[in-house]
Structure formats: C-alpha cells, structure tokens
C-alpha cells in the first residue's frame, strides 16, 4: 500500500483536518474471479483470501449513513484500482465478477453517492481530468 499511502499524504495537504488512517482490508488484491476470464492473469489461489478481505472492506466502508445523521458526510478512501472496481460493482448491485471490465488510471477519482434510502449513484468513475495527460498511468 506504499503508493496509496503516498497519495493519501498528498491529498491530506489539500484537505487539512482530514483524519487519516490506514486499513489493511484495503490492500490490493484479486477480489473474485473475473467474468469473462482473462488468460494473462490467473491468481486463483488469491481469490479466496483476497476476496474475503476486500468484501470485508466493502462492508465496513460502503453503507448508508446512520438514520440519525442530519448532514451529508464524505469518506475519502485511497486504495488500488482492483478494490475500487469491486466496490463499484457491489455498490451498484452489478455482478461483482465484472470488476475487471473497467479500467482506472492511477490517482483517479471515483465518487459514489449513497442516499439515506439506500439508493446508490456512481457520480464519476476514474476521473483524471485534473491531471496533465503526461502524468496518466495505469
């Protein structure tokens, strides 16, 4: 999680007062066997271990606010693309096996909105419009 921690430190400079913490559940990994399968990447042994951990992270961080909450709240989660793609599939109630069909650049912004009634909207996926083109990487 070295790159994610470095990125979080940079973000914190622009969002003073943001509480920063590290969570081992958000480590990169292979959340579930992708569908369609890909021939060049087969970490079968990792799916069971990584998948359970990444699902636990999803359940910890992606949920409705408490019913007593009066104001909007925001969570800034800095992690790797596999985790983000899996979170997006799960949050939108899409088949999670489709996580590898999306492509995200490093440092991109994905914004999910979860309404009090449980309705989820994907506001942006992998936005990199704030980066110069020569800085874009995958």
């Amino acid at each position: 999680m070295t790159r994610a921690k470095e990125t979080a430190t940079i973000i914190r400079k622009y969002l003073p007062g943001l509480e920063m913490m590290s969570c081992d559940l958000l480590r990169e990994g292979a959340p579930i066997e992708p569908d369609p399968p890909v021939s060049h990447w087969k970490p079968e042994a990792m799916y069971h271990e990584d998948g359970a951990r990444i699902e636990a992270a999803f359940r910890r961080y992606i949920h409705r606010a408490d019913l007593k909450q009066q104001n909007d709240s925001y969570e800034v989660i800095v992690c790797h693309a596999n985790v983000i793609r899996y979170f997006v599939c799960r949050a939108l109630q899409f088949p999670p096996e489709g996580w590898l069909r999306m492509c995200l650049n490093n440092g991109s912004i994905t914004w999910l909105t979860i309404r009090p009634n449980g309705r989820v909207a994907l506001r942006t996926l992998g936005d990199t419009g704030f980066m110069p083109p020569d800085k874009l990487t995958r």
Side-chain angles (χ1 to χ4, degrees):
M1 288 196 38
T2 303
R3 288 182 307 166
K5 288 178 182 178
E6 289 171 351
T7 302
T9 301
I10 293 168
I11 291 169
R12 189 174 191 196
K13 291 177 188 176
Y14 297 94
L15 299 173
L18 184 69
E19 179 186 350
M20 197 165 111
M21 60 184 220
S22 182
C23 178
D24 203 42
L25 296 175
L26 294 169
R27 281 189 342 258
E28 180 72 310
I32 191 169
E33 189 170 352
D35 185 22
V38 292
S39 61
H40 62 280
W41 190 58
K42 296 183 179 185
E44 289 90 355
M46 299 173 70
Y47 291 131
H48 297 291
E49 183 179 322
D50 290 350
R53 175 180 48 76
I54 295 168
E55 175 64 21
F58 173 81
R59 290 172 186 241
R60 176 179 287 182
Y61 294 108
I62 310 298
H63 54 79
R64 298 181 206 186
D66 187 287
L67 291 175
K68 297 174 187 171
Q69 182 173 320
Q70 297 296 312
N71 300 314
D72 289 347
S73 60
Y74 300 89
E75 300 281 337
V76 177
I77 300 172
V78 181
C79 57
H80 293 279
N82 289 356
V83 177
I84 295 166
R85 293 184 287 213
Y86 179 79
F87 280 12
V88 167
C89 287
R90 289 279 288 114
L92 295 175
Q93 299 181 1
F94 291 166
E97 295 84 2
W99 65 275
L100 204 50
R101 296 178 190 185
M102 295 175 255
C103 187
L104 301 175
N105 288 324
N106 294 322
S108 64
I109 296 173
T110 296
W111 179 1
L112 284 169
T113 298
I114 305 172
R115 303 197 188 290
N117 65 3
R119 185 174 175 189
V120 177
L122 180 61
R123 304 285 301 260
T124 187
L125 175 68
D127 182 12
T128 54
F130 60 94
M131 289 185 189
D134 65 321
K135 299 294 182 193
L136 297 178
T137 61
R138 289 194 179 136

